[in-house]
PDB file of all heavy atoms in Angstrom:
ATOM      1  N   LEU A 256     107.475  98.570-182.072  1.00  0.00           N
ATOM      2  CA  LEU A 256     107.415  99.874-182.675  1.00  0.00           C
ATOM      3  C   LEU A 256     108.935 100.187-183.227  1.00  0.00           C
ATOM      4  O   LEU A 256     108.928 100.853-184.396  1.00  0.00           O
ATOM      5  CB  LEU A 256     106.892 100.897-181.711  1.00  0.00           C
ATOM      6  CG  LEU A 256     105.390 100.940-181.560  1.00  0.00           C
ATOM      7  CD1 LEU A 256     104.974 101.895-180.363  1.00  0.00           C
ATOM      8  CD2 LEU A 256     104.667 101.214-182.756  1.00  0.00           C
ATOM      9  N   ASP A 257     109.883  99.970-182.426  1.00  0.00           N
ATOM     10  CA  ASP A 257     111.258 100.134-182.902  1.00  0.00           C
ATOM     11  C   ASP A 257     111.508  99.391-184.150  1.00  0.00           C
ATOM     12  O   ASP A 257     112.039  99.934-185.154  1.00  0.00           O
ATOM     13  CB  ASP A 257     112.324  99.710-181.872  1.00  0.00           C
ATOM     14  CG  ASP A 257     112.551 100.867-180.842  1.00  0.00           C
ATOM     15  OD1 ASP A 257     111.964 101.854-180.962  1.00  0.00           O
ATOM     16  OD2 ASP A 257     113.241 100.450-179.693  1.00  0.00           O
ATOM     17  N   THR A 258     111.168  98.113-184.194  1.00  0.00           N
ATOM     18  CA  THR A 258     111.281  97.300-185.401  1.00  0.00           C
ATOM     19  C   THR A 258     110.550  97.845-186.458  1.00  0.00           C
ATOM     20  O   THR A 258     111.058  97.868-187.648  1.00  0.00           O
ATOM     21  CB  THR A 258     110.902  95.770-184.959  1.00  0.00           C
ATOM     22  OG1 THR A 258     111.652  95.421-183.781  1.00  0.00           O
ATOM     23  CG2 THR A 258     111.226  94.887-186.134  1.00  0.00           C
ATOM     24  N   ALA A 259     109.368  98.273-186.253  1.00  0.00           N
ATOM     25  CA  ALA A 259     108.465  98.889-187.318  1.00  0.00           C
ATOM     26  C   ALA A 259     109.100  99.841-188.051  1.00  0.00           C
ATOM     27  O   ALA A 259     109.018  99.922-189.303  1.00  0.00           O
ATOM     28  CB  ALA A 259     107.118  99.349-186.721  1.00  0.00           C
ATOM     29  N   ARG A 260     109.790 100.784-187.381  1.00  0.00           N
ATOM     30  CA  ARG A 260     110.460 102.035-187.986  1.00  0.00           C
ATOM     31  C   ARG A 260     111.410 101.482-189.047  1.00  0.00           C
ATOM     32  O   ARG A 260     111.681 101.913-190.187  1.00  0.00           O
ATOM     33  CB  ARG A 260     111.163 102.870-186.960  1.00  0.00           C
ATOM     34  CG  ARG A 260     110.087 103.698-186.220  1.00  0.00           C
ATOM     35  CD  ARG A 260     110.760 104.789-185.355  1.00  0.00           C
ATOM     36  NE  ARG A 260     109.758 105.293-184.410  1.00  0.00           N
ATOM     37  CZ  ARG A 260     109.533 104.768-183.191  1.00  0.00           C
ATOM     38  NH1 ARG A 260     110.233 103.762-182.712  1.00  0.00           N
ATOM     39  NH2 ARG A 260     108.471 105.263-182.491  1.00  0.00           N
ATOM     40  N   ARG A 261     112.205 100.349-188.725  1.00  0.00           N
ATOM     41  CA  ARG A 261     113.158  99.762-189.624  1.00  0.00           C
ATOM     42  C   ARG A 261     112.481  99.075-190.762  1.00  0.00           C
ATOM     43  O   ARG A 261     112.989  99.092-191.939  1.00  0.00           O
ATOM     44  CB  ARG A 261     114.089  98.828-188.880  1.00  0.00           C
ATOM     45  CG  ARG A 261     115.064  99.443-187.968  1.00  0.00           C
ATOM     46  CD  ARG A 261     116.243  98.405-187.566  1.00  0.00           C
ATOM     47  NE  ARG A 261     115.727  97.350-186.770  1.00  0.00           N
ATOM     48  CZ  ARG A 261     115.512  97.437-185.453  1.00  0.00           C
ATOM     49  NH1 ARG A 261     115.797  98.533-184.825  1.00  0.00           N
ATOM     50  NH2 ARG A 261     115.138  96.320-184.904  1.00  0.00           N
ATOM     51  N   GLU A 262     111.416  98.400-190.343  1.00  0.00           N
ATOM     52  CA  GLU A 262     110.709  97.504-191.459  1.00  0.00           C
ATOM     53  C   GLU A 262     110.075  98.486-192.458  1.00  0.00           C
ATOM     54  O   GLU A 262     110.050  98.151-193.663  1.00  0.00           O
ATOM     55  CB  GLU A 262     109.549  96.746-190.755  1.00  0.00           C
ATOM     56  CG  GLU A 262     110.082  95.547-189.993  1.00  0.00           C
ATOM     57  CD  GLU A 262     108.956  94.859-189.187  1.00  0.00           C
ATOM     58  OE1 GLU A 262     108.121  95.631-188.678  1.00  0.00           O
ATOM     59  OE2 GLU A 262     108.958  93.642-189.195  1.00  0.00           O
ATOM     60  N   LEU A 263     109.534  99.657-192.042  1.00  0.00           N
ATOM     61  CA  LEU A 263     108.875 100.455-193.014  1.00  0.00           C
ATOM     62  C   LEU A 263     109.903 100.886-194.068  1.00  0.00           C
ATOM     63  O   LEU A 263     109.408 101.140-195.267  1.00  0.00           O
ATOM     64  CB  LEU A 263     108.288 101.665-192.320  1.00  0.00           C
ATOM     65  CG  LEU A 263     106.938 101.431-191.537  1.00  0.00           C
ATOM     66  CD1 LEU A 263     106.657 102.604-190.492  1.00  0.00           C
ATOM     67  CD2 LEU A 263     105.964 101.232-192.462  1.00  0.00           C
ATOM     68  N   LEU A 264     111.137 101.005-193.813  1.00  0.00           N
ATOM     69  CA  LEU A 264     112.157 101.348-194.852  1.00  0.00           C
ATOM     70  C   LEU A 264     112.355 100.400-195.989  1.00  0.00           C
ATOM     71  O   LEU A 264     112.899 100.534-197.018  1.00  0.00           O
ATOM     72  CB  LEU A 264     113.627 101.627-194.073  1.00  0.00           C
ATOM     73  CG  LEU A 264     113.666 102.712-193.087  1.00  0.00           C
ATOM     74  CD1 LEU A 264     115.001 102.689-192.395  1.00  0.00           C
ATOM     75  CD2 LEU A 264     113.321 104.125-193.743  1.00  0.00           C
ATOM     76  N   GLN A 265     111.890  99.085-195.507  1.00  0.00           N
ATOM     77  CA  GLN A 265     111.905  97.992-196.549  1.00  0.00           C
ATOM     78  C   GLN A 265     110.733  97.912-197.695  1.00  0.00           C
ATOM     79  O   GLN A 265     110.856  97.253-198.577  1.00  0.00           O
ATOM     80  CB  GLN A 265     111.983  96.659-195.850  1.00  0.00           C
ATOM     81  CG  GLN A 265     113.069  96.454-194.765  1.00  0.00           C
ATOM     82  CD  GLN A 265     114.451  96.475-195.466  1.00  0.00           C
ATOM     83  OE1 GLN A 265     114.639  95.822-196.543  1.00  0.00           O
ATOM     84  NE2 GLN A 265     115.371  97.158-194.897  1.00  0.00           N
ATOM     85  N   ALA A 266     109.755  98.766-197.365  1.00  0.00           N
ATOM     86  CA  ALA A 266     108.596  98.725-198.207  1.00  0.00           C
ATOM     87  C   ALA A 266     108.927  98.856-199.654  1.00  0.00           C
ATOM     88  O   ALA A 266     108.258  98.275-200.529  1.00  0.00           O
ATOM     89  CB  ALA A 266     107.566  99.753-197.715  1.00  0.00           C
ATOM     90  N   LYS A 267     109.941  99.713-199.927  1.00  0.00           N
ATOM     91  CA  LYS A 267     110.362  99.969-201.408  1.00  0.00           C
ATOM     92  C   LYS A 267     110.834  98.739-202.094  1.00  0.00           C
ATOM     93  O   LYS A 267     110.886  98.785-203.329  1.00  0.00           O
ATOM     94  CB  LYS A 267     111.264 101.039-201.336  1.00  0.00           C
ATOM     95  CG  LYS A 267     112.718 100.815-200.746  1.00  0.00           C
ATOM     96  CD  LYS A 267     113.638 101.932-200.826  1.00  0.00           C
ATOM     97  CE  LYS A 267     115.061 101.563-200.382  1.00  0.00           C
ATOM     98  NZ  LYS A 267     115.237 101.007-199.150  1.00  0.00           N
ATOM     99  N   ASN A 268     111.204  97.807-201.272  1.00  0.00           N
ATOM    100  CA  ASN A 268     111.741  96.524-202.015  1.00  0.00           C
ATOM    101  C   ASN A 268     110.617  95.548-202.332  1.00  0.00           C
ATOM    102  O   ASN A 268     110.880  94.467-202.985  1.00  0.00           O
ATOM    103  CB  ASN A 268     112.767  95.789-201.114  1.00  0.00           C
ATOM    104  CG  ASN A 268     114.062  96.689-200.721  1.00  0.00           C
ATOM    105  OD1 ASN A 268     114.307  97.543-201.560  1.00  0.00           O
ATOM    106  ND2 ASN A 268     114.373  96.616-199.533  1.00  0.00           N
TER     107      ASN A 268
END
Side-chain angles (χ1 to χ4, degrees):
L256 285 170
D257 275 351
T258 305
R260 288 188 191 90
R261 285 196 299 275
E262 289 173 319
L263 286 165
L264 299 174
Q265 302 295 319
K267 64 178 187 311
N268 299 326

